[in-house]
Amino acid sequence: MANFNPPLTCQLTTRYRLSALHLLARPELSPEQNAQHFVHCGKLHGHEYGLEVTWEAEIDPRSGLCVQREKLNDLVEEKILKVFHKQKLNDIVSNTSGEFLAREFLTRLIREERGHSVVQVALQETHKNRFLCRKEDLEK
Amino acid sequence: MTSLPWARLARRTHFSCGHRYYSPQMSEEENRKTFGLCYSEHGHGHNYVLEAYLLGPIDPVTGMVINLMQVDEILKKVTSELDHRHLNFDVPAFAEQVPTTENIARYCYGRVLEELNQLQSPVQLSSVRLYENEDLWVDYGQL
């Protein structure tokens, strides 16, 4: 059997907080259908989301960093927090489910850093649920 | 002969130490620009949390991949080399490289691997996760 050793990888994850309003409702559905699908999530409410952004890169031999913290913080601030923090999410995106938001956030972060290096977003909506989107998921 | 089922597990420990983000290869200006607040005269400290992620076949007698006491011994040995020290001055591995979270995670991965290999067990180390605090962590290994 071949001795297969996958390469060693370094990923740095930083957690941010994002407080926002939303409700789950689809405009094409009737009020009854929306109520059936989304129950109490169909009422306007808010969360303090935990946003975990994962960056993958080799460790720079001079600095010992795979990413400068300020660079990652600035990217998330510019692309996500400035746009979504303290806002009503439904005014910005068409679907505000955790699944969709994780995908949306990763897409916005990857666009900025084409070719590398944000590889995953995890969005914690409450202490009971957490949504993950990996870079490869965007192809599906 | 039927192959044994495999499983993955993680074990956690913690240690506290001081460090300073400073590279002698950089000018003061570049150090300041690269490391921001982490570049200061004396440095600062963290309560690190280290998790080791292991995988291997489940022993048919014990039902375990590895006895957690053995994992604890390894983690204790590795972290005792770092615990309550100033990494830049007290740990030879960081005399030449900056003790960033990335480099400490890589160091821990290498040391846990060395110790695990001494056991001559089929258990493998897949990766380690090192939390600098609850809002910043590094995964290093086969991810």
Side-chain angles (χ1 to χ4, degrees), chain A residues 11 35 38 63 73:
Chain A
Q11 293 181 345
F38 301 119
S63 67
N73 290 343

Side-chain angles (χ1 to χ4, degrees), chain B residues 6 15 22 31 34 55 66 69 76-77 83-86 90 92 96 101-103 105 115 118 123 127 131 133 139:
Chain B
W6 279 49
F15 59 96
Y22 163 77
N31 267 300
T34 306
L55 74 158
I66 184 171
M69 285 192 296
K76 175 88 178 161
K77 191 167 181 185
D83 194 28
H84 283 77
R85 294 168 198 246
H86 193 301
D90 302 332
E96 298 295 326
T101 319
E102 291 93 322
N103 275 339
E115 294 297 326
Q118 304 280 328
V123 179
S127 64
Y131 288 89
N133 55 52
D139 292 287

Side-chain angles (χ1 to χ4, degrees), chain A residues 64-111:
Chain A
L65 304 173
C66 74
V67 60
Q68 284 187 25
R69 312 303 186 245
E70 209 168 82
K71 182 178 173 183
L72 183 56
N73 290 343
D74 287 351
L75 173 69
V76 176
E77 175 69 28
E78 186 64 30
K79 291 293 167 185
I80 307 296
L81 301 180
K82 259 190 193 171
V83 181
F84 294 95
H85 186 50
K86 306 282 186 190
Q87 301 299 312
K88 183 182 173 191
L89 301 177
N90 303 74
D91 291 342
I92 308 166
V93 289
S94 60
N95 191 326
T96 63
S97 69
E99 295 91 329
F100 186 91
L101 288 173
R103 198 178 172 89
E104 177 71 20
F105 293 165
L106 181 58
T107 303
R108 288 177 183 239
L109 290 166
I110 281 181
R111 269 185 196 155

Side-chain angles (χ1 to χ4, degrees), chain B residues 9-74:
Chain B
L9 64 99
R11 190 66 161 170
R12 174 183 282 203
T13 188
H14 57 88
F15 59 96
S16 304
C17 48
H19 69 163
R20 179 189 181 210
Y21 279 20
Y22 163 77
S23 170
Q25 297 173 50
M26 296 180 190
S27 66
E28 187 179 334
E29 190 189 344
E30 192 181 358
N31 267 300
R32 202 174 296 282
K33 191 176 166 210
T34 306
F35 299 124
L37 283 177
C38 296
Y39 172 66
S40 61
E41 188 183 351
H42 300 294
H44 58 281
H46 295 288
N47 298 323
Y48 291 96
V49 174
L50 176 67
E51 293 173 348
Y53 292 80
L54 305 165
L55 74 158
I58 302 173
D59 184 288
V61 177
T62 64
M64 299 173 183
V65 168
I66 184 171
N67 189 315
L68 289 178
M69 285 192 296
Q70 287 180 294
V71 184
D72 285 345
E73 271 178 36
I74 289 175

Side-chain angles (χ1 to χ4, degrees), chain A residues 5-15 17 52 59 61-70 130, chain B residues 21 23 25-26 30 33-36 98 100-103 106 109 134-143:
Chain A
N5 287 316
L8 300 177
T9 308
C10 185
Q11 293 181 345
L12 180 134
T13 302
T14 304
R15 186 179 166 89
R17 286 166 185 80
E52 297 167 8
I59 302 174
R62 286 181 82 229
S63 67
L65 304 173
C66 74
V67 60
Q68 284 187 25
R69 312 303 186 245
E70 209 168 82
R130 194 161 169 271
Chain B
Y21 279 20
S23 170
Q25 297 173 50
M26 296 180 190
E30 192 181 358
K33 191 176 166 210
T34 306
F35 299 124
V98 189
T100 57
T101 319
E102 291 93 322
N103 275 339
R106 180 164 58 184
Y109 177 87
E134 63 180 16
D135 291 331
L136 191 148
W137 60 93
V138 163
D139 292 287
Y140 187 86
Q142 295 166 1
L143 303 176

